[in-house]
Amino acid sequence: MARSLKLITWNTCGIRDTADVQQKKEKICHLLSEQQASVAFLQETHIGINNVQHIEDIRGWKACYSVHHPRSKGVAILIKNDLHFEYIKHDVDPTGSYIVLICKLYSKCFTLVNVYNHAKEHKVLQCLSEYLCQTAKGVLIVAGDFNTVLNPDLDREYPTGNTEPLRPYLEEFISSLMLVDIWGQNNPYERDSFTRFPWKTSKQQIKKTSGQKKTKKKRGASRLDMVFMPRNEVWLAKSCEISKVPRHNISDHHPVVLSLCLPKANNTTVLSCSSGLVIKKRPYKRRPGEISEAEVLKALMSLVECETPLGENVQTLKINKGQKSQELKELFNKMIRGGIPKGFTDSVKENGRYHFRAEYMILASILLRRIEKFLQPSFKSKTMKMSCKLFIIVSFRSTPKKIKRDFLRQALKSLKRIHPSPPRDFKIVENLLPSTDQYKELREGCPLTPTLLTMALKHLACALRKDLKESVVDVCHHRKCITIYMNADQYHILKQNINKFQLQSGISLLPKVGQVWRRKNNSNS
């Protein structure tokens, strides 16, 4: 029987009483109780060295927290007292930007990470990424307030077209640990769900200059609060919702609630599993695009330690990473020259999700990183097409389980060249995916699956940019969708391109029409 677990992340703008908010801590606890949360990630707790009693004596909760400053930053992870919890260890950033708690919940190992990424700090996520690559165990969950958005068109109330200073650092953090934005992935079409709503302009913010009133610029709502999980653990996320709670008396942020389903180990199906790996011996001949030991080591360290029914576990490989990275480099390069050995692509299906041998996960991670270099989002500012009458979001009608072999090959070959150019020979990618008739299977839990789906959307987006004149076409790889600003008289061209894509790829898409969001002054950004 599956066990349900609720986690909530919330920027509370402090937990102590203020002149405007009395009994604030009690109100926070009341909301956590209403949401039936078992674990709470709180940001901006505003706990200084003389205020620790305010978080240590929260009735009904155990607290792991940072101590920084009574008026800024600070994070805490609260664990419900009645939760089956076993502490292993924790680590706190000295500037109060994050806390990492490794523990067991219902005997299952978790690495819980709470982040408050201050707008002026650019190195926090890089440091955290390096630490998690070395220490994360079990199910990794990263939640918090990141002070940036992943897609300005979808995650801000008024898309500006301007660059997001912290966004490149968040993108690199997500990529380094192969994380998924859970809410964004589950809601590709949502454009009006936000987590932060800036306070209304107060009388104190109105200043008189040269006899005229000057009001502080009002900023629109945005989705700054997010929950991330590794690609191969996304199947545990039962739901992820932005809770529409009354916020004006507590915080200018809405909480995000993640519901996890923790099934017991059952319903296991072994799919053509062989015990050994045999590679055909062929004369050695060096070829371009061979895998380096650095790539192997980076991929190995990005995988969270977890058990697999097939072969060695990630933990074992990490313990002997120096020797194993060299051995795997030689193994993978033999595979590039001589083909995939029997049993290497085998998987075990458990509770509807596939498990792979650790070596497969490492090679798939290396290949997806190479492909994603061609798919990286642009951080350049862009001119918004405010004259366009339509805003379209195109996403998958349902989660694709397969893709046509010929289309996959064509999409891989058509990846636009970049400089410096990584290897573009992706025949081994095709060989790693099982074949069914004219299709290649896209297995849930395989690191390559999300990347190949993004590549398919990118392929369609390139065709749309050519055919839709005076339009803006972008791929949001976190939500697996395409956003389009276009003129209404070209909608039939969009439909033709979608129909052609569906015929060639075997993947069904669904376009949805929304309004073009305009600024009050109706000016281009």
Side-chain angles (χ1 to χ4, degrees), residues 63-105:
C64 288
Y65 58 92
S66 67
V67 177
H68 180 63
H69 194 278
R71 285 180 294 183
S72 68
K73 302 175 69 172
V75 289
I77 298 178
L78 306 183
I79 306 292
K80 206 82 167 69
N81 278 344
D82 58 4
L83 189 66
H84 187 188
F85 167 79
E86 180 183 339
Y87 173 87
I88 298 177
K89 72 172 185 175
H90 81 280
D91 191 54
V92 179
D93 174 61
T95 67
S97 295
Y98 66 78
I99 183 171
V100 179
L101 172 63
I102 301 178
C103 61
K104 287 187 177 182
L105 304 176

mmCIF file of all heavy atoms in Angstrom, residues 63-105:
data_model
loop_
_atom_site.group_PDB
_atom_site.id
_atom_site.type_symbol
_atom_site.label_atom_id
_atom_site.label_comp_id
_atom_site.label_asym_id
_atom_site.label_seq_id
_atom_site.Cartn_x
_atom_site.Cartn_y
_atom_site.Cartn_z
ATOM 1 N N ALA A 63 12.881 21.227 14.460
ATOM 2 C CA ALA A 63 13.388 22.260 13.554
ATOM 3 C C ALA A 63 14.884 22.128 13.315
ATOM 4 O O ALA A 63 15.664 21.965 14.268
ATOM 5 C CB ALA A 63 13.079 23.642 14.113
ATOM 6 N N CYS A 64 15.284 22.184 12.047
ATOM 7 C CA CYS A 64 16.676 22.387 11.637
ATOM 8 C C CYS A 64 16.714 23.748 10.963
ATOM 9 O O CYS A 64 15.934 23.994 10.026
ATOM 10 C CB CYS A 64 17.143 21.299 10.680
ATOM 11 S SG CYS A 64 17.395 19.687 11.443
ATOM 12 N N TYR A 65 17.597 24.639 11.382
ATOM 13 C CA TYR A 65 17.495 26.017 10.916
ATOM 14 C C TYR A 65 18.871 26.678 10.855
ATOM 15 O O TYR A 65 19.848 26.205 11.439
ATOM 16 C CB TYR A 65 16.586 26.818 11.843
ATOM 17 C CG TYR A 65 17.042 26.830 13.289
ATOM 18 C CD1 TYR A 65 17.870 27.835 13.773
ATOM 19 C CD2 TYR A 65 16.655 25.810 14.163
ATOM 20 C CE1 TYR A 65 18.303 27.833 15.078
ATOM 21 C CE2 TYR A 65 17.076 25.806 15.476
ATOM 22 C CZ TYR A 65 17.904 26.827 15.930
ATOM 23 O OH TYR A 65 18.339 26.812 17.228
ATOM 24 N N SER A 66 18.917 27.793 10.126
ATOM 25 C CA SER A 66 20.126 28.606 10.058
ATOM 26 C C SER A 66 19.942 29.841 10.927
ATOM 27 O O SER A 66 18.830 30.308 11.143
ATOM 28 C CB SER A 66 20.406 29.032 8.611
ATOM 29 O OG SER A 66 19.409 29.918 8.143
ATOM 30 N N VAL A 67 21.038 30.368 11.434
ATOM 31 C CA VAL A 67 21.034 31.598 12.218
ATOM 32 C C VAL A 67 21.834 32.635 11.447
ATOM 33 O O VAL A 67 23.017 32.430 11.148
ATOM 34 C CB VAL A 67 21.663 31.386 13.614
ATOM 35 C CG1 VAL A 67 21.710 32.694 14.388
ATOM 36 C CG2 VAL A 67 20.893 30.334 14.380
ATOM 37 N N HIS A 68 21.175 33.749 11.092
ATOM 38 C CA HIS A 68 21.886 34.745 10.289
ATOM 39 C C HIS A 68 21.646 36.161 10.796
ATOM 40 O O HIS A 68 22.509 36.763 11.415
ATOM 41 C CB HIS A 68 21.470 34.625 8.818
ATOM 42 C CG HIS A 68 22.168 35.610 7.923
ATOM 43 N ND1 HIS A 68 23.532 35.604 7.743
ATOM 44 C CD2 HIS A 68 21.688 36.645 7.189
ATOM 45 C CE1 HIS A 68 23.873 36.580 6.919
ATOM 46 N NE2 HIS A 68 22.771 37.239 6.572
ATOM 47 N N HIS A 69 20.447 36.709 10.534
ATOM 48 C CA HIS A 69 20.173 38.106 10.873
ATOM 49 C C HIS A 69 18.691 38.244 11.215
ATOM 50 O O HIS A 69 17.846 37.627 10.563
ATOM 51 C CB HIS A 69 20.522 39.026 9.688
ATOM 52 C CG HIS A 69 20.583 40.481 10.047
ATOM 53 N ND1 HIS A 69 19.451 41.264 10.134
ATOM 54 C CD2 HIS A 69 21.630 41.287 10.356
ATOM 55 C CE1 HIS A 69 19.798 42.497 10.462
ATOM 56 N NE2 HIS A 69 21.111 42.541 10.609
ATOM 57 N N PRO A 70 18.345 39.041 12.224
ATOM 58 C CA PRO A 70 16.938 39.142 12.646
ATOM 59 C C PRO A 70 16.020 39.878 11.667
ATOM 60 O O PRO A 70 14.808 39.924 11.890
ATOM 61 C CB PRO A 70 17.030 39.897 13.976
ATOM 62 C CG PRO A 70 18.308 40.653 13.907
ATOM 63 C CD PRO A 70 19.244 39.799 13.123
ATOM 64 N N ARG A 71 16.579 40.436 10.587
ATOM 65 C CA ARG A 71 15.721 41.161 9.649
ATOM 66 C C ARG A 71 15.918 40.726 8.194
ATOM 67 O O ARG A 71 15.395 41.362 7.279
ATOM 68 C CB ARG A 71 15.964 42.666 9.772
ATOM 69 C CG ARG A 71 15.352 43.273 11.017
ATOM 70 C CD ARG A 71 15.614 44.749 11.112
ATOM 71 N NE ARG A 71 17.045 45.044 11.301
ATOM 72 C CZ ARG A 71 17.537 46.270 11.469
ATOM 73 N NH1 ARG A 71 16.742 47.306 11.477
ATOM 74 N NH2 ARG A 71 18.833 46.441 11.641
ATOM 75 N N SER A 72 16.671 39.656 7.962
ATOM 76 C CA SER A 72 16.858 39.214 6.584
ATOM 77 C C SER A 72 17.279 37.744 6.533
ATOM 78 O O SER A 72 17.820 37.204 7.496
ATOM 79 C CB SER A 72 17.915 40.058 5.869
ATOM 80 O OG SER A 72 19.195 39.820 6.418
ATOM 81 N N LYS A 73 16.979 37.125 5.398
ATOM 82 C CA LYS A 73 17.422 35.767 5.063
ATOM 83 C C LYS A 73 17.019 34.745 6.137
ATOM 84 O O LYS A 73 16.086 34.943 6.894
ATOM 85 C CB LYS A 73 18.921 35.748 4.777
ATOM 86 C CG LYS A 73 19.315 36.685 3.639
ATOM 87 C CD LYS A 73 20.801 36.764 3.437
ATOM 88 C CE LYS A 73 21.382 35.491 2.904
ATOM 89 N NZ LYS A 73 22.808 35.649 2.521
ATOM 90 N N GLY A 74 17.716 33.627 6.147
ATOM 91 C CA GLY A 74 17.416 32.559 7.094
ATOM 92 C C GLY A 74 16.472 31.513 6.537
ATOM 93 O O GLY A 74 15.493 31.841 5.870
ATOM 94 N N VAL A 75 16.773 30.231 6.767
ATOM 95 C CA VAL A 75 15.945 29.122 6.291
ATOM 96 C C VAL A 75 15.773 28.102 7.414
ATOM 97 O O VAL A 75 16.590 28.026 8.336
ATOM 98 C CB VAL A 75 16.566 28.431 5.057
ATOM 99 C CG1 VAL A 75 16.492 29.315 3.831
ATOM 100 C CG2 VAL A 75 18.015 28.022 5.334
ATOM 101 N N ALA A 76 14.705 27.318 7.321
ATOM 102 C CA ALA A 76 14.447 26.278 8.319
ATOM 103 C C ALA A 76 13.681 25.135 7.671
ATOM 104 O O ALA A 76 12.885 25.347 6.757
ATOM 105 C CB ALA A 76 13.657 26.826 9.499
ATOM 106 N N ILE A 77 13.943 23.917 8.146
ATOM 107 C CA ILE A 77 13.161 22.740 7.765
ATOM 108 C C ILE A 77 12.496 22.217 9.030
ATOM 109 O O ILE A 77 13.171 21.892 10.011
ATOM 110 C CB ILE A 77 14.036 21.655 7.122
ATOM 111 C CG1 ILE A 77 14.673 22.162 5.822
ATOM 112 C CG2 ILE A 77 13.208 20.388 6.846
ATOM 113 C CD1 ILE A 77 15.598 21.155 5.142
ATOM 114 N N LEU A 78 11.174 22.152 9.002
ATOM 115 C CA LEU A 78 10.401 21.659 10.140
ATOM 116 C C LEU A 78 9.884 20.255 9.842
ATOM 117 O O LEU A 78 9.374 20.002 8.751
ATOM 118 C CB LEU A 78 9.214 22.584 10.436
ATOM 119 C CG LEU A 78 9.516 24.075 10.641
ATOM 120 C CD1 LEU A 78 8.236 24.817 10.996
ATOM 121 C CD2 LEU A 78 10.575 24.281 11.722
ATOM 122 N N ILE A 79 10.015 19.368 10.810
ATOM 123 C CA ILE A 79 9.551 17.988 10.692
ATOM 124 C C ILE A 79 8.487 17.735 11.747
ATOM 125 O O ILE A 79 8.719 17.981 12.936
ATOM 126 C CB ILE A 79 10.711 16.979 10.887
ATOM 127 C CG1 ILE A 79 11.875 17.288 9.939
ATOM 128 C CG2 ILE A 79 10.207 15.553 10.702
ATOM 129 C CD1 ILE A 79 11.589 17.058 8.481
ATOM 130 N N LYS A 80 7.314 17.262 11.327
ATOM 131 C CA LYS A 80 6.220 17.004 12.268
ATOM 132 C C LYS A 80 6.649 15.944 13.284
ATOM 133 O O LYS A 80 7.302 14.963 12.941
ATOM 134 C CB LYS A 80 5.002 16.505 11.497
ATOM 135 C CG LYS A 80 3.673 16.774 12.184
ATOM 136 C CD LYS A 80 3.186 18.185 11.922
ATOM 137 C CE LYS A 80 1.737 18.357 12.323
ATOM 138 N NZ LYS A 80 1.506 18.293 13.769
ATOM 139 N N ASN A 81 6.287 16.171 14.520
ATOM 140 C CA ASN A 81 6.700 15.255 15.590
ATOM 141 C C ASN A 81 6.185 13.836 15.401
ATOM 142 O O ASN A 81 6.838 12.872 15.802
ATOM 143 C CB ASN A 81 6.240 15.796 16.944
ATOM 144 C CG ASN A 81 7.177 16.857 17.493
ATOM 145 O OD1 ASN A 81 8.311 16.993 17.030
ATOM 146 N ND2 ASN A 81 6.701 17.629 18.455
ATOM 147 N N ASP A 82 4.985 13.677 14.819
ATOM 148 C CA ASP A 82 4.415 12.342 14.675
ATOM 149 C C ASP A 82 4.884 11.639 13.406
ATOM 150 O O ASP A 82 4.427 10.535 13.090
ATOM 151 C CB ASP A 82 2.888 12.404 14.694
ATOM 152 C CG ASP A 82 2.331 13.300 13.591
ATOM 153 O OD1 ASP A 82 3.111 13.808 12.761
ATOM 154 O OD2 ASP A 82 1.098 13.497 13.556
ATOM 155 N N LEU A 83 5.800 12.255 12.657
ATOM 156 C CA LEU A 83 6.324 11.639 11.441
ATOM 157 C C LEU A 83 7.394 10.611 11.806
ATOM 158 O O LEU A 83 8.210 10.845 12.712
ATOM 159 C CB LEU A 83 6.917 12.720 10.527
ATOM 160 C CG LEU A 83 7.320 12.300 9.120
ATOM 161 C CD1 LEU A 83 6.103 11.896 8.308
ATOM 162 C CD2 LEU A 83 8.058 13.435 8.410
ATOM 163 N N HIS A 84 7.390 9.485 11.119
ATOM 164 C CA HIS A 84 8.418 8.474 11.336
ATOM 165 C C HIS A 84 9.725 8.999 10.750
ATOM 166 O O HIS A 84 10.001 8.856 9.562
ATOM 167 C CB HIS A 84 8.011 7.160 10.666
ATOM 168 C CG HIS A 84 8.922 6.024 10.988
ATOM 169 N ND1 HIS A 84 8.837 4.799 10.374
ATOM 170 C CD2 HIS A 84 9.943 5.913 11.869
ATOM 171 C CE1 HIS A 84 9.769 4.002 10.846
ATOM 172 N NE2 HIS A 84 10.451 4.654 11.759
ATOM 173 N N PHE A 85 10.555 9.625 11.616
ATOM 174 C CA PHE A 85 11.721 10.395 11.189
ATOM 175 C C PHE A 85 12.981 9.877 11.867
ATOM 176 O O PHE A 85 12.997 9.607 13.061
ATOM 177 C CB PHE A 85 11.494 11.880 11.531
ATOM 178 C CG PHE A 85 12.722 12.743 11.441
ATOM 179 C CD1 PHE A 85 13.186 13.194 10.217
ATOM 180 C CD2 PHE A 85 13.409 13.113 12.595
ATOM 181 C CE1 PHE A 85 14.308 14.010 10.140
ATOM 182 C CE2 PHE A 85 14.537 13.927 12.535
ATOM 183 C CZ PHE A 85 14.984 14.378 11.306
ATOM 184 N N GLU A 86 14.052 9.757 11.060
ATOM 185 C CA GLU A 86 15.355 9.357 11.597
ATOM 186 C C GLU A 86 16.411 10.333 11.080
ATOM 187 O O GLU A 86 16.646 10.440 9.869
ATOM 188 C CB GLU A 86 15.703 7.929 11.169
ATOM 189 C CG GLU A 86 17.049 7.442 11.678
ATOM 190 C CD GLU A 86 17.411 6.058 11.177
ATOM 191 O OE1 GLU A 86 16.484 5.314 10.767
ATOM 192 O OE2 GLU A 86 18.617 5.729 11.176
ATOM 193 N N TYR A 87 17.027 11.082 11.972
ATOM 194 C CA TYR A 87 18.043 12.070 11.609
ATOM 195 C C TYR A 87 19.360 11.383 11.241
ATOM 196 O O TYR A 87 19.795 10.451 11.924
ATOM 197 C CB TYR A 87 18.260 13.033 12.776
ATOM 198 C CG TYR A 87 19.413 14.005 12.587
ATOM 199 C CD1 TYR A 87 19.231 15.211 11.936
ATOM 200 C CD2 TYR A 87 20.682 13.699 13.066
ATOM 201 C CE1 TYR A 87 20.281 16.109 11.770
ATOM 202 C CE2 TYR A 87 21.747 14.576 12.916
ATOM 203 C CZ TYR A 87 21.544 15.787 12.260
ATOM 204 O OH TYR A 87 22.584 16.665 12.099
ATOM 205 N N ILE A 88 19.986 11.835 10.141
ATOM 206 C CA ILE A 88 21.308 11.328 9.764
ATOM 207 C C ILE A 88 22.344 12.434 9.921
ATOM 208 O O ILE A 88 23.292 12.306 10.682
ATOM 209 C CB ILE A 88 21.298 10.772 8.327
ATOM 210 C CG1 ILE A 88 20.328 9.583 8.223
ATOM 211 C CG2 ILE A 88 22.711 10.354 7.904
ATOM 212 C CD1 ILE A 88 20.195 9.004 6.832
ATOM 213 N N LYS A 89 22.161 13.553 9.196
ATOM 214 C CA LYS A 89 23.059 14.701 9.378
ATOM 215 C C LYS A 89 22.466 15.907 8.671
ATOM 216 O O LYS A 89 21.524 15.791 7.882
ATOM 217 C CB LYS A 89 24.462 14.410 8.833
ATOM 218 C CG LYS A 89 24.574 14.370 7.317
ATOM 219 C CD LYS A 89 26.040 14.271 6.897
ATOM 220 C CE LYS A 89 26.200 14.346 5.376
ATOM 221 N NZ LYS A 89 27.607 14.373 4.962
ATOM 222 N N HIS A 90 23.013 17.089 8.969
ATOM 223 C CA HIS A 90 22.583 18.280 8.252
ATOM 224 C C HIS A 90 23.759 19.243 8.115
ATOM 225 O O HIS A 90 24.761 19.139 8.829
ATOM 226 C CB HIS A 90 21.392 18.953 8.945
ATOM 227 C CG HIS A 90 21.753 19.826 10.103
ATOM 228 N ND1 HIS A 90 22.032 19.323 11.353
ATOM 229 C CD2 HIS A 90 21.876 21.176 10.198
ATOM 230 C CE1 HIS A 90 22.304 20.311 12.181
ATOM 231 N NE2 HIS A 90 22.224 21.453 11.498
ATOM 232 N N ASP A 91 23.614 20.182 7.186
ATOM 233 C CA ASP A 91 24.651 21.184 6.963
ATOM 234 C C ASP A 91 23.968 22.507 6.639
ATOM 235 O O ASP A 91 22.935 22.532 5.956
ATOM 236 C CB ASP A 91 25.579 20.776 5.809
ATOM 237 C CG ASP A 91 26.808 21.659 5.727
ATOM 238 O OD1 ASP A 91 27.514 21.779 6.742
ATOM 239 O OD2 ASP A 91 27.060 22.240 4.647
ATOM 240 N N VAL A 92 24.543 23.628 7.131
ATOM 241 C CA VAL A 92 23.932 24.948 6.983
ATOM 242 C C VAL A 92 24.915 25.906 6.329
ATOM 243 O O VAL A 92 26.098 25.949 6.699
ATOM 244 C CB VAL A 92 23.492 25.506 8.352
ATOM 245 C CG1 VAL A 92 22.873 26.882 8.195
ATOM 246 C CG2 VAL A 92 22.509 24.561 9.023
ATOM 247 N N ASP A 93 24.431 26.680 5.368
ATOM 248 C CA ASP A 93 25.247 27.718 4.745
ATOM 249 C C ASP A 93 25.483 28.838 5.765
ATOM 250 O O ASP A 93 24.539 29.301 6.423
ATOM 251 C CB ASP A 93 24.527 28.270 3.518
ATOM 252 C CG ASP A 93 25.262 29.443 2.904
ATOM 253 O OD1 ASP A 93 26.414 29.251 2.472
ATOM 254 O OD2 ASP A 93 24.683 30.549 2.872
ATOM 255 N N PRO A 94 26.726 29.323 5.920
ATOM 256 C CA PRO A 94 27.007 30.335 6.951
ATOM 257 C C PRO A 94 26.308 31.669 6.714
ATOM 258 O O PRO A 94 26.138 32.445 7.649
ATOM 259 C CB PRO A 94 28.532 30.497 6.880
ATOM 260 C CG PRO A 94 28.923 29.969 5.537
ATOM 261 C CD PRO A 94 27.942 28.891 5.218
ATOM 262 N N THR A 95 25.882 31.932 5.476
ATOM 263 C CA THR A 95 25.188 33.196 5.190
ATOM 264 C C THR A 95 23.674 33.042 5.258
ATOM 265 O O THR A 95 22.938 33.961 4.887
ATOM 266 C CB THR A 95 25.574 33.719 3.793
ATOM 267 O OG1 THR A 95 25.070 32.822 2.786
ATOM 268 C CG2 THR A 95 27.075 33.841 3.646
ATOM 269 N N GLY A 96 23.202 31.890 5.708
ATOM 270 C CA GLY A 96 21.767 31.687 5.870
ATOM 271 C C GLY A 96 21.010 31.452 4.585
ATOM 272 O O GLY A 96 19.783 31.606 4.543
ATOM 273 N N SER A 97 21.698 31.040 3.515
ATOM 274 C CA SER A 97 21.054 30.882 2.208
ATOM 275 C C SER A 97 20.455 29.498 1.985
ATOM 276 O O SER A 97 19.548 29.359 1.173
ATOM 277 C CB SER A 97 22.057 31.184 1.080
ATOM 278 O OG SER A 97 22.453 32.529 1.116
ATOM 279 N N TYR A 98 20.976 28.471 2.648
ATOM 280 C CA TYR A 98 20.403 27.137 2.465
ATOM 281 C C TYR A 98 20.707 26.249 3.657
ATOM 282 O O TYR A 98 21.606 26.512 4.456
ATOM 283 C CB TYR A 98 20.905 26.475 1.177
ATOM 284 C CG TYR A 98 22.388 26.149 1.149
ATOM 285 C CD1 TYR A 98 22.907 25.039 1.819
ATOM 286 C CD2 TYR A 98 23.275 26.934 0.412
ATOM 287 C CE1 TYR A 98 24.257 24.724 1.775
ATOM 288 C CE2 TYR A 98 24.632 26.629 0.362
ATOM 289 C CZ TYR A 98 25.112 25.538 1.045
ATOM 290 O OH TYR A 98 26.452 25.234 1.017
ATOM 291 N N ILE A 99 19.925 25.187 3.755
ATOM 292 C CA ILE A 99 20.159 24.131 4.733
ATOM 293 C C ILE A 99 19.913 22.799 4.044
ATOM 294 O O ILE A 99 18.984 22.665 3.244
ATOM 295 C CB ILE A 99 19.259 24.292 5.977
ATOM 296 C CG1 ILE A 99 19.570 23.205 7.019
ATOM 297 C CG2 ILE A 99 17.790 24.277 5.605
ATOM 298 C CD1 ILE A 99 18.875 23.440 8.354
ATOM 299 N N VAL A 100 20.770 21.817 4.319
ATOM 300 C CA VAL A 100 20.655 20.472 3.757
ATOM 301 C C VAL A 100 20.452 19.493 4.900
ATOM 302 O O VAL A 100 21.260 19.443 5.829
ATOM 303 C CB VAL A 100 21.915 20.086 2.949
ATOM 304 C CG1 VAL A 100 21.785 18.666 2.402
ATOM 305 C CG2 VAL A 100 22.157 21.071 1.813
ATOM 306 N N LEU A 101 19.366 18.743 4.846
ATOM 307 C CA LEU A 101 19.056 17.747 5.881
ATOM 308 C C LEU A 101 18.964 16.370 5.241
ATOM 309 O O LEU A 101 18.140 16.142 4.356
ATOM 310 C CB LEU A 101 17.738 18.088 6.572
ATOM 311 C CG LEU A 101 17.175 17.045 7.552
ATOM 312 C CD1 LEU A 101 18.122 16.832 8.721
ATOM 313 C CD2 LEU A 101 15.791 17.450 8.040
ATOM 314 N N ILE A 102 19.822 15.460 5.668
ATOM 315 C CA ILE A 102 19.763 14.073 5.208
ATOM 316 C C ILE A 102 19.128 13.248 6.328
ATOM 317 O O ILE A 102 19.587 13.284 7.483
ATOM 318 C CB ILE A 102 21.161 13.540 4.857
ATOM 319 C CG1 ILE A 102 21.797 14.389 3.752
ATOM 320 C CG2 ILE A 102 21.085 12.079 4.412
ATOM 321 C CD1 ILE A 102 23.206 13.976 3.375
ATOM 322 N N CYS A 103 18.066 12.529 5.995
ATOM 323 C CA CYS A 103 17.295 11.833 7.022
ATOM 324 C C CYS A 103 16.545 10.656 6.395
ATOM 325 O O CYS A 103 16.619 10.436 5.179
ATOM 326 C CB CYS A 103 16.302 12.790 7.673
ATOM 327 S SG CYS A 103 15.085 13.478 6.517
ATOM 328 N N LYS A 104 15.835 9.933 7.223
ATOM 329 C CA LYS A 104 14.937 8.887 6.756
ATOM 330 C C LYS A 104 13.516 9.218 7.181
ATOM 331 O O LYS A 104 13.275 9.565 8.338
ATOM 332 C CB LYS A 104 15.343 7.521 7.307
ATOM 333 C CG LYS A 104 16.596 6.938 6.666
ATOM 334 C CD LYS A 104 16.861 5.507 7.120
ATOM 335 C CE LYS A 104 18.072 4.924 6.403
ATOM 336 N NZ LYS A 104 18.321 3.514 6.807
ATOM 337 N N LEU A 105 12.594 9.147 6.236
ATOM 338 C CA LEU A 105 11.178 9.333 6.491
ATOM 339 C C LEU A 105 10.476 8.038 6.129
ATOM 340 O O LEU A 105 10.570 7.582 4.986
ATOM 341 C CB LEU A 105 10.618 10.492 5.664
ATOM 342 C CG LEU A 105 11.312 11.852 5.842
ATOM 343 C CD1 LEU A 105 10.713 12.888 4.902
ATOM 344 C CD2 LEU A 105 11.198 12.330 7.291
#
